[in-house]
């Protein structure tokens, strides 16, 4: 039997939302890279993701590893933004920064990400039109706002912009 193919995901920013998204993706067994420019925050984020996965039994996320084996979808820590996003199919911006910082970050991501990578931003109150203002290819950007805690509430508000490609939305 052929094993399923999952998208490779990069979560940028180990904010509460970032840790929730990373826990959800990691628990599903999808290949995941986490990144935060603050090495201590990145390390703490990785530890908290593992802890959240261990404590998520009964929350709808089925995680039952054999004794002594790593949890499925163990996240890899990106050493740089380039290292984190280069091979990702889905890039989640979960930073806690303002609009201008997010626009710059998304512009940097666009410069090194795969052409087919979908960019989502979990930015409450910011529109896709505002977020993609500096992008050359705005069609792959969506706002995807999970409800807190992301890993426990199976609902996400997805907001496409007027330039969002149908393929990215799908």
């Amino acid at each position: 039997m052929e094993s399923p193919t999952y998208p490779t995901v990069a979560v940028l920013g180990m904010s509460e939302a970032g840790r929730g998204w990373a826990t959800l993706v990691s628990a599903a067994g999808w290949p995941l890279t986490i990144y935060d420019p603050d090495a201590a925050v990145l390390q703490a984020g990785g530890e908290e993701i593992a802890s959240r996965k261990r404590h998520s039994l009964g929350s709808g996320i089925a995680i039952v590893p054999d004794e002594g084996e790593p949890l499925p979808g163990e996240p890899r820590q990106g050493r740089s933004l380039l290292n984190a996003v280069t091979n990702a199919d889905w890039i989640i911006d979960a930073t806690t920064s303002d609009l201008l910082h997010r626009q710059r970050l998304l512009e940097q991501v666009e410069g090194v990400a795969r052409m087919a990578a979908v960019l989502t931003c979990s930015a409450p109150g910011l529109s896709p039109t505002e977020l993609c203002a500096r992008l050359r290819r705005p069609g792959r950007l969506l706002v995807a706002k999970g409800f807190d805690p992301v890993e426990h509430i199976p609902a996400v508000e997805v907001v496409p912009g007027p330039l969002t490609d149908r393929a990215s939305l799908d």
Side-chain angles (χ1 to χ4, degrees):
M1 181 194 248
E2 195 174 308
S3 64
T5 303
Y6 300 115
T8 300
V9 180
V11 175
L12 309 178
M14 289 290 93
S15 63
E16 178 61 30
R19 291 172 184 201
W21 279 110
T23 301
L24 181 67
V25 168
S26 182
W30 294 10
L32 171 67
T33 301
I34 57 175
Y35 173 75
D36 196 285
D38 183 323
V41 171
L42 179 61
Q43 181 65 35
E47 291 168 4
E48 186 173 333
I49 292 162
S51 175
R52 285 182 181 193
K53 284 172 40 178
R54 279 191 291 276
H55 293 95
S56 66
L57 294 174
S59 67
I61 301 173
I63 306 170
V64 187
D66 292 334
E67 190 65 36
E69 290 192 20
L71 294 168
E74 199 64 39
R76 182 179 72 81
Q77 293 185 3
R79 296 180 305 275
S80 66
L81 183 63
L82 172 67
N83 179 260
V85 304
T86 300
N87 296 316
D89 301 306
W90 178 19
I91 301 164
I92 303 169
D93 169 15
T95 58
T96 58
S97 52
D98 61 28
L99 175 61
L100 183 58
H101 183 271
R102 282 180 183 253
Q103 287 173 333
R104 287 180 184 150
L105 175 67
L106 291 168
E107 183 179 34
Q108 289 175 331
V109 167
E110 183 182 49
V112 295
R114 295 178 48 242
M115 292 295 281
V118 174
L119 309 174
T120 62
C121 205
S122 60
L126 297 178
S127 74
T129 303
E130 293 172 315
L131 290 164
C132 72
R134 297 173 66 122
L135 299 181
R136 292 184 312 273
R137 296 192 60 235
R140 60 182 173 166
L141 180 102
L142 301 148
V143 170
K145 174 68 175 101
F147 298 93
D148 292 328
V150 175
E151 71 269 26
H152 294 295
I153 301 176
V156 176
E157 178 184 19
V158 177
V159 182
L163 301 175
T164 302
D165 296 335
R166 182 65 198 186
S168 296
L169 184 57
D170 290 343

